[in-house]
């Protein structure tokens, strides 16, 4: 992150917040405040709350699911199908909090770009409905709440949570410096895997890192599909992404990554001693991967976004297969 951004983040945490007047902007069926410069009326608490909810994107839970599935995969593997309920609860709540915190810091990082991209120009920071000061404050509060949850777990997991927080801060700024910011996204989303194993067992087996690498590859897949939606706008404003890096080879590279990920998960299943139901889940996931390929075939933004959203079902198929494999192990 550039030094100027670090300085601004630190300054924002310390003080807060300009006055402004709001009108309404509509997104689908939802509306939120829009700033009119030069005015003095402070927004009402309802307007502020709505802006904050839109900032953390609770109305679009896909990011929560994409972060949650790898955590649940790891918890079920670590707990051999019966992870302690309170650890599962801590991770589920932590996923919601950290994804929300990630949205806040992401929009802070992209505040100068979002207004120039069709898909993001109505985000609260882009319209002025939420100030940069407020976005950083929300990030800090949500991160501290998530850290408070981790304190209920063992010291190894607490130590690993510091890495998770750093990855959450670093990722949004990487698109300025590298065409593969998805690797940082995958690391941030996948770090729940070693945390889950240490929380349940106090150690991280070798196949847990195989699952982590699979999650890195998965992030490259779905976030490239996501970046294909914005490719033309990103080229104009100088944002880097794998969709731009891969160019005309994007569909082929995504297909190869899908094959690689599924192959690694087959290897993991063999190492972990998993059975028929787990591999049946992988077959369903493979069918969904083929469906995603059909969606991105013409590179139409709406279809690429639909392919991105379909990854929720991809992750779900693997998890359901894992749950059934442990639950019905004695039946088969």
């Amino acid at each position: 992150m550039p030094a100027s951004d670090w300085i601004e983040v630190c300054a924002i945490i310390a003080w807060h917040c300009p006055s402004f007047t709001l009108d309404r902007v509509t997104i689908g069926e939802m509306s939120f405040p829009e700033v009119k410069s030069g005015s003095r009326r402070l927004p009402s608490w309802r307007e502020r709350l709505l802006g904050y909810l839109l900032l953390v994107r609770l109305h679009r839970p896909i990011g929560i699911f994409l972060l949650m599935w790898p955590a649940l995969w790891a918890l079920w593997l670590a707990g051999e199908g019966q992870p302690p309920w309170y650890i599962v609860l801590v991770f589920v709540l932590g996923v919601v909090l950290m994804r929300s915190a990630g949205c806040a810091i992401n929009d802070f990082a992209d505040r100068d770009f979002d207004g120039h991209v069709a898909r993001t120009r109505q985000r609260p920071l882009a319209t002025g409905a939420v100030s940069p000061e407020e976005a950083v404050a929300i990030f800090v509060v949500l991160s501290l709440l998530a850290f408070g949850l981790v304190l209920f777990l063992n010291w190894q997991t607490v130590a690993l949570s510091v890495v998770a927080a750093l990855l959450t801060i670093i990722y949004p700024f990487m698109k300025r410096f590298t065409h593969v910011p998805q690797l940082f996204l995958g690391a941030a989303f996948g770090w729940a895997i070693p945390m889950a194993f240490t929380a349940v067992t106090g150690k991280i087996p070798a196949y847990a890192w195989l699952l982590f690498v699979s999650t890195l590859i998965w992030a490259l897949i779905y976030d490239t599909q996501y970046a294909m939606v914005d490719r033309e706008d990103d080229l104009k404003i100088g944002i880097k992404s794998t969709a731009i890096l891969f160019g005309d080879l994007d569909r082929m590279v995504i297909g190869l990554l899908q094959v690689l990920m599924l192959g690694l998960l087959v290897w993991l299943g063999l190492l972990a001693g998993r059975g028929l139901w787990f591999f049946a889940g992988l077959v369903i996931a493979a069918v969904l991967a083929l469906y995603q390929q059909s969606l991105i075939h013409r590179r139409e933004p709406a279809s690429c976004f639909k392919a991105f959203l379909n990854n929720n079902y991809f992750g779900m198929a693997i998890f359901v297969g894992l749950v059934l494999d442990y639950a019905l192990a004695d039946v088969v």
Side-chain angles (χ1 to χ4, degrees):
M1 186 191 305
S4 60
D5 279 326
W6 283 114
I7 292 170
E8 186 170 357
V9 169
C10 295
I12 284 172
I13 293 172
W15 67 276
H16 173 63
C17 167
S19 61
F20 45 79
T21 294
L22 304 168
D23 280 347
R24 311 301 301 182
V25 172
T26 299
I27 302 179
E29 297 179 354
M30 302 187 69
S31 64
F32 64 87
E34 180 184 24
V35 168
K36 288 205 168 185
S37 59
S39 56
R40 293 291 178 183
R41 186 178 72 82
L42 288 173
S44 69
W45 68 267
R46 289 185 180 86
E47 291 169 331
R48 282 188 178 276
L49 179 60
L50 183 56
Y52 298 158
L53 291 175
L54 291 171
L55 175 70
V56 300
R57 294 199 263 295
L58 290 181
H59 61 302
R60 293 181 177 172
I62 180 63
I64 293 174
F65 297 136
L66 295 177
L67 177 55
M68 189 175 298
W69 293 128
L72 292 176
W73 301 342
L75 286 169
W76 251 253
L77 285 164
E80 297 184 346
Q82 295 181 320
W85 68 266
Y86 74 94
I87 294 180
V88 175
L89 180 61
V90 165
F91 270 82
V92 169
L93 293 176
V95 160
V96 174
L97 288 170
M98 286 309 297
R99 187 268 183 165
S100 300
C103 288
I105 198 65
N106 179 79
D107 284 11
F108 171 79
D110 290 348
R111 64 196 182 280
D112 296 328
F113 300 109
D114 280 347
H116 303 284
V117 177
R119 184 181 53 81
T120 61
R121 63 172 52 128
Q122 296 294 352
R123 284 181 176 174
L125 260 74
T127 65
V130 174
S131 69
E133 296 91 339
E134 291 172 302
V136 173
I138 288 170
F139 167 74
V140 172
V141 169
L142 293 175
S143 297
L144 289 175
L145 289 173
F147 184 71
L149 286 173
V150 178
L151 294 178
F152 287 97
L153 305 177
N154 55 31
W155 70 266
Q156 299 101 318
T157 311
V158 173
L160 287 174
S161 72
V162 176
V163 178
L166 291 174
L167 289 169
T168 302
I169 295 172
I170 290 170
Y171 158 68
F173 297 91
M174 289 300 101
K175 65 189 72 173
R176 304 182 186 188
F177 308 111
T178 174
H179 280 95
V180 287
Q182 288 81 3
L183 287 177
F184 294 88
L185 175 68
F189 276 30
W191 201 250
I193 291 168
M195 288 179 64
F197 275 93
T198 57
V200 175
T201 68
K203 57 185 179 181
I204 307 173
Y207 71 81
W209 293 114
L210 193 60
L211 187 61
F212 176 76
V213 172
S214 299
T215 302
L216 279 180
I217 295 170
W218 192 29
L220 280 170
I221 293 165
Y222 62 66
D223 212 47
T224 300
Q225 295 167 343
Y226 191 57
M228 290 170 72
V229 178
D230 299 331
R231 178 157 40 196
E232 298 306 316
D233 287 330
D234 287 348
L235 283 167
K236 293 176 184 176
I237 61 178
I239 292 291
K240 297 178 173 64
S241 73
T242 47
I244 294 172
L245 177 65
F246 298 154
D248 292 339
L249 299 176
D250 50 5
R251 296 174 306 185
M252 184 183 72
V253 173
I254 289 172
L256 291 173
L257 290 172
Q258 288 170 326
V259 171
L260 178 58
M261 180 188 180
L262 290 167
L264 290 175
L265 290 174
V266 168
W267 186 14
L268 180 147
L270 295 173
L271 291 176
R274 301 315 336 129
L276 176 64
W277 289 104
F278 174 73
F279 293 108
L282 293 185
V283 170
I284 295 173
V287 172
L288 291 170
L290 289 172
Y291 174 60
Q292 292 169 23
Q293 281 290 322
S294 72
L295 288 172
I296 65 175
H297 181 70
R298 296 183 182 275
R299 300 187 177 92
E300 295 172 347
S303 295
C304 291
F305 189 69
K306 189 174 180 180
F308 162 72
L309 295 175
N310 184 261
N311 281 277
N312 175 40
Y313 300 107
F314 181 96
M316 184 191 301
I318 296 170
F319 177 63
V320 171
L322 196 56
V323 170
L324 291 176
D325 195 60
Y326 279 109
L328 303 176
D330 295 333
V331 177
V332 180

